[in-house]
Each structure stands twice: as C-alpha cells, then as structure tokens.
Amino acid sequence: MTPPSRRQLSPRQARQLMDTAYLAASTALLWVALYYLPVGSPLFRLALPLPLALLQLRHGWRCALEGVTVTALLLVALMGPIRGPLVLFPYGLLSLWLGWGWRRRSSWWLTLGVGALIGAGGFLVRVAVLSVLVGENLWVVITTAAANLLDRLAGVVGLAGGFDLAQVQVAALLLVLLQNLIVVLALHAVAYWIFPRLDLPISEPPPALRGLVALDPL
C-alpha cells in the first residue's frame, strides 16, 4: 500500500488544484491593478468576479470557496490585513453567488436581484472601512452628490428643492443599488457571451432582457 505521504493526485484533483491556484491569482492581480493602476478601473471591476465564478462552474462550490480564501490570503500578504480582505466585499461574495446561480441555471431575475443587493452591501462595507482609514466620513460625499442630483432633477421638472436628510439618504441608497444592478447585468452579459465558448453555458436571459445581450461582440 502506498504511504499517505506519497499518494499521487488524480488528474481531476490536479486540474482542480491548478485551476484554483491560477484563477485565484488572476483575481488577486485584478484587485491589485484596480488599486494601483491609473487606468482601466471599470474593466477591472467588471472582470473581478468572473475568474472565481468560472472556477465554481467548472469544479463546484468547494473549489470556489477555496479560491476565494486563497485570493484573500494572497492579498493580505501583498496589501496588508485591511485592504486585502476588502476583495470579499462585494467581489468575492458576488463571484460565489453568481457561480452558484449560473451552475444551477437559475433565472436571471434571481441572480440579478440578489447580486445587486450583494454589490450594494459590499459597497457600503468598503465605504465604512475606507472612511476609517482616511479619517473622513465618505458617506457624506455620496449623500452630497445625491442631494445635488435631486436638486438638478427638481429644477428640470420645475419642482422646489430643499430635500430633507431622509430623502437624500434614500436617493443615495437607490443610486448605489442602481449602479450595482447595472454592473451585475453587465457581468451576466459578459458571462453569457464568453462562458459558452469554454463549454460552460449559463442560463438563457429572460425575454425582457434578451435584446440587451443578443448582440454578441466576440
């Protein structure tokens, strides 16, 4: 009998190990590029959840969870114990959710809705952490932008301005949610275009959204 220390990995286990390492490293490099490169931020944000979602489509949720863990540990070593784990909010959690939903061919309405909530929650976590790091309440900046937008919209439609704080807070949260909904929809479109070429198709879009993703740019 072969000693436990000399047991060889099966081809399937070796492929899982290799895919986990490469896709986790790819996610970590995208996160580092997002922080330190002056250009390409929207592209990096859009690509960040896809490698680990692809890992889950190929090998299941356990490998995806290992990939997220490896990514976080690698970024802790590269960027420190605060900025490194921020990759989890929302990109790590979003990759786990989207990979789970796509693997089970769930409805786009479900994956879009929950994905947008995960994205919005992760954004708020990052705002809270970065506010502590810079010593300034960044949420005030967001609510100020929302207040200016409300005033402009009120001027366009001929309404009086002067919105109270509660209305501005709700408007800011809705803007964050809308932004993340657009991002998650773009992630669905990219996955719908690319993953079938890797023999990993996701569910078909609903008829109401088919026109947005029917044009294949590749």
Side-chain angles (χ1 to χ4, degrees):
M1 182 176 179
T2 304
S5 59
R6 296 184 180 180
R7 286 179 182 171
Q8 295 182 348
L9 295 175
S10 67
R12 180 173 177 273
Q13 290 173 326
R15 183 182 177 187
Q16 287 179 346
L17 184 62
M18 182 184 68
D19 284 351
T20 301
Y22 275 110
L23 294 174
S26 299
T27 304
L29 287 176
L30 286 171
W31 182 251
V32 172
L34 177 63
Y35 256 89
Y36 296 115
L37 293 185
V39 296
S41 176
L43 181 61
F44 296 143
R45 292 180 189 277
L46 189 60
L48 259 167
L50 294 179
L52 295 176
L54 176 63
L55 182 63
Q56 184 162 184
L57 285 172
R58 282 181 174 174
H59 303 296
W61 69 270
R62 289 186 178 180
C63 278
L65 189 59
E66 290 175 0
V68 170
T69 303
V70 171
T71 300
L73 292 175
L74 180 59
L75 288 172
V76 166
L78 292 175
M79 303 178 67
I82 297 179
R83 286 187 174 88
L86 282 180
V87 73
L88 300 175
F89 308 100
Y91 302 107
L93 299 178
L94 191 58
S95 66
L96 292 175
W97 166 249
L98 293 179
W100 184 88
W102 290 340
R103 185 178 175 88
R104 285 157 181 77
R105 305 292 183 90
S106 299
S107 169
W108 280 36
W109 297 122
L110 176 63
T111 51
L112 277 172
V114 178
L117 291 175
I118 293 174
F123 175 82
L124 296 177
V125 170
R126 294 204 314 276
V127 168
V129 173
L130 293 176
S131 296
V132 173
L133 291 178
V134 301
E136 182 179 354
N137 189 353
L138 298 180
W139 182 246
V140 174
V141 178
I142 298 173
T143 53
T144 300
N148 293 334
L149 179 61
L150 287 176
D151 288 336
R152 291 180 182 178
L153 291 177
V156 169
V157 299
L159 298 176
F163 296 95
D164 59 33
L165 181 60
Q167 292 172 324
V168 173
Q169 297 276 8
V170 171
L173 289 173
L174 290 176
L175 286 174
V176 170
L177 187 60
L178 177 61
Q179 177 192 17
N180 282 277
L181 181 62
I182 295 172
V183 170
V184 176
L185 178 59
L187 285 170
H188 278 70
V190 173
Y192 182 71
W193 293 330
I194 295 177
F195 285 2
R197 290 170 168 79
L198 304 174
D199 294 325
L200 295 167
I202 67 173
S203 56
E204 290 293 320
L209 299 177
R210 189 176 299 275
L212 296 176
V213 299
L215 180 61
D216 192 338
L218 300 179

